[in-house]
Amino acid sequence: SLGSFLNYAGMLCNNKALRNIEGGCRLGRIVMKVSSKRFGSSSDQKAKLCFQYYALIAYYSEPFQHCRDMLREGVEAGLGAGDVRYSFLNALNSIRLGLLSGKNLQDLLKETEYYLSMMGKQKENQTKALMLMFHETISLLISNSEYTAPTIATGSIIPPLQHCFHKALQSFFKSRSERCNHFAEKIMQAAEGGRQHHIFITFYYALNSFKVAEIVHTKKINAVPDQALSAFRAAAEHSKDNFQNKVELLEAELYNRDGENDKAKASYAAAIASARLSKFIHEEGLACEKAALHHKKIGETSEALNYFTKAQECYKKW
């Protein structure tokens, strides 16, 4: 079946032993083209196929925003076909990619609340519990106030890696470096079950490690940015749109650490430009913030102030 081919494509992308991202993505695209030609947009399988491809495979090679748009189509297809389970799995992953691609947080929060209301009517308790984690993360990123979590239905269990993913992301943007490191390491050390979280959290784990290294000087911590840079250079070969800005910001931070100021300046500027091109407003702001800190460090106050202002503008838009 088409679903079985997508299962195999997912294994090629996410299984360490098989690891063939190019082959997995190519197979996935073929399956989706066959599905479109054979069934058009009316297939009862569309919601499931959208989830399998756009949530688990396509983000390696296709822009996050496109994957999110297709997942949202999968939501509607599932509702139309009565496939509530895959409709809501698509909803969950559309929110995930919306958050990671820098969609406006207020809009994303409203969308999350809309999906939560739908899940409540259908009694999709497990998926609702996972969606509530996104609601918490988005709410905390918007506001510094404490988050009061809605009641989760009895029997709903948040998988440990899901919990760690959210806590690491929340901690990173709240500048709680040791807490971020704690949760991110749990994901990095996980076996195959954490592959979907691994690629996304690696970037923030690596950036955070520079702060942790100021407190804890170990070979393990110092090696994190170089390892992450190697992983993202490989990822950028499949999708510069999704990963090139991450390569350039990690390069900039390494140059900054090693005192290569001219190279650092060039790489910060490149990271900002790439994030802007990819419409990752949050990571554009992050690159501006890191550039500001670099200029402040080397005594270039006016440049630092300019970058801090740009960072603030990006975060406000986010």
Side-chain angles (χ1 to χ4, degrees), residues 2 48 67 107 113 135 232 246 262 277 308:
L2 295 178
K48 180 180 179 180
C67 294
D107 291 342
E113 290 170 348
H135 190 272
F232 279 110
K246 298 168 179 61
D262 289 340
L277 186 64
F308 275 129

Side-chain angles (χ1 to χ4, degrees), residues 219-239:
K219 288 184 178 179
K220 179 181 177 182
I221 288 295
N222 290 333
V224 168
D226 291 291
Q227 293 168 352
L229 180 57
S230 177
F232 279 110
R233 280 174 174 162
E237 291 180 6
H238 304 291
S239 176

Side-chain angles (χ1 to χ4, degrees), residues 7 18 21 56 74 86 183 199 243 265 278:
N7 282 337
L18 298 175
I21 292 174
L56 305 177
Y86 279 104
F183 288 111
I199 187 66
F243 303 112
K265 290 178 188 179
S278 296

Side-chain angles (χ1 to χ4, degrees), residues 33-178:
K33 285 180 180 178
V34 169
S35 173
S36 180
K37 287 181 178 179
R38 182 179 297 179
F39 304 113
S41 59
S42 61
S43 170
D44 289 346
Q45 296 185 43
K46 182 173 180 178
K48 180 180 179 180
L49 296 179
C50 277
F51 167 72
Q52 287 181 287
Y53 180 61
Y54 290 106
L56 305 177
I57 299 167
Y59 61 79
Y60 284 109
S61 62
E62 300 192 34
F64 289 164
Q65 290 92 340
H66 175 66
C67 294
R68 170 173 152 77
D69 290 343
M70 296 308 298
L71 286 164
R72 294 176 78 185
E73 283 194 17
V75 174
E76 298 304 318
L79 291 175
D83 189 348
V84 174
R85 177 170 179 255
Y86 279 104
S87 177
F88 289 157
L89 284 173
N90 283 320
L92 186 68
N93 282 281
S94 75
I95 295 296
R96 176 175 67 112
L97 287 179
L99 178 60
L100 293 166
S101 62
K103 290 296 180 183
N104 180 269
L105 291 175
Q106 292 286 359
D107 291 342
L108 208 55
L109 187 65
K110 291 177 183 176
E111 191 177 332
T112 303
E113 290 170 348
Y114 170 69
Y115 288 139
L116 283 169
S117 69
M118 292 173 61
M119 291 171 184
K121 294 175 184 177
Q122 296 292 332
K123 293 183 169 49
E124 282 289 316
N125 292 332
Q126 185 62 48
T127 311
K128 182 178 180 180
L130 296 175
M131 186 66 82
L132 281 170
M133 288 296 296
F134 280 101
H135 190 272
E136 176 185 296
T137 296
I138 296 165
S139 297
L140 288 172
L141 291 177
I142 292 171
S143 171
N144 287 321
S145 60
E146 291 297 317
Y147 177 78
T148 302
T151 303
I152 297 176
T154 303
S156 299
I157 300 172
I158 302 294
L161 293 178
Q162 289 273 9
H163 175 79
C164 290
F165 171 79
H166 285 280
K167 293 304 178 184
L169 203 59
Q170 293 168 18
S171 300
F172 178 85
F173 282 104
K174 294 297 181 181
S175 298
R176 298 169 182 167
S177 57
E178 291 180 86

